[in-house]
Amino acid sequence: MKINNFDPLSRGSVRAFSKDKILTDEMLDELLEGAAQAPTTGNMQLYSVVVTRRPEAIERMARLHLGQPAAVNCQALLTFCADKYRFGRWCRLRKARTGFENLSGDLLAIVDATIFAEQFTLLAEASGLGCCYLGTVTYDLDGFCRELKLPRGVVPLFSIAVGWPAEGAAPRPCDRLPLRAVVHREEYRDYSDDDIEEIYSAKEALPESPRFIAENGKETLAQVYAEVRYPEELNRKISSDLTRYLDI
């Protein structure tokens, strides 16, 4: 399937960006204006994005992102935030009492910000730019909030590194579960053990999978994901930090 010569089945993350081809502020603004047309809860747009472009600021942000290559050499770093603060300010000025200081309000803002970010990514990649999601924002919420000077009620969720791909940095299509793994017709169909074996067989058969297992001293690829990449102690720390920033 191609859309205006853009094939979504061939997309992948780009982590090396050109030093020669310029990404202008005007192009970024056009993409962000288009992204803002994305669906949003009640037309409230409970999100904000902080665009980082100055080299010294990108360097500081890259350190917060644990030195990930995409953050180090990107042409712009966009941090997408759930933002109930701006809407709340408007309501107070207009003598309206908001009912969003709760988990429901947080969920609305998180969904809005995520849809906005994905719309931006689609437009950017369809325009020839490369993008890479960076989920390490939640690893250090205090650090990112200080760096971006975010007020209470604005919670950074993730960043997207963006720029023109470096020569030879064409994205490699991502491995994804087959459609039958995620699509249910009419009602949710539970998985048998045989279904799970079949669904994950291609991922486990990737050439790099045995290397991941060996270098992490594990027995299965599932252990690499669940116990090394996203271990319980990390998830508990992130949960605790998010509880401090969200109305949970």
Side-chain angles (χ1 to χ4, degrees), residues 65-120:
H65 278 296
L66 308 179
Q68 292 187 72
V72 170
N73 61 66
C74 67
Q75 294 175 307
L77 192 61
L78 280 60
T79 302
F80 291 83
C81 307
D83 186 352
K84 298 186 300 183
Y85 172 78
R86 180 187 63 248
F87 181 77
R89 287 287 302 273
W90 178 54
C91 286
R92 285 194 293 276
L93 285 171
R94 295 295 180 265
K95 301 178 181 179
R97 184 171 63 86
T98 65
F100 289 160
E101 303 310 310
N102 45 56
L103 180 57
S104 176
D106 291 325
L107 181 60
L108 296 180
I110 290 169
V111 169
D112 272 13
T114 303
I115 295 173
F116 175 51
E118 181 58 16
Q119 183 94 333
F120 170 83

Side-chain angles (χ1 to χ4, degrees), residues 2 17-18 25 40 49 103 134 137 150 172 183 206 231 247:
K2 287 190 176 182
F17 300 97
S18 173
D25 288 335
T40 174
V49 59
L103 180 57
L134 302 173
V137 168
L150 302 180
R172 186 183 71 173
V183 176
L206 290 172
D247 296 301

Side-chain angles (χ1 to χ4, degrees), residues 28-29 31-33 35-36 45-52 76-83 86 113 116-117 120 148 150 154-160 162:
L28 266 181
D29 285 347
L31 293 170
L32 288 166
E33 187 171 16
Q45 293 181 265
L46 302 174
Y47 57 72
S48 286
V49 59
V50 181
V51 180
T52 303
L77 192 61
L78 280 60
T79 302
F80 291 83
C81 307
D83 186 352
R86 180 187 63 248
F116 175 51
F120 170 83
L148 300 177
L150 302 180
V154 182
V155 182
L157 302 174
F158 49 81
S159 296
I160 295 178
V162 61

Side-chain angles (χ1 to χ4, degrees), residues 11-15 17 70 120-122 124-125 129-133 160-163 165:
R11 77 150 303 276
S13 296
V14 172
R15 295 176 173 82
F17 300 97
F120 170 83
T121 302
L122 287 171
E125 293 179 341
L129 293 169
C131 296
C132 183
Y133 273 80
I160 295 178
V162 61

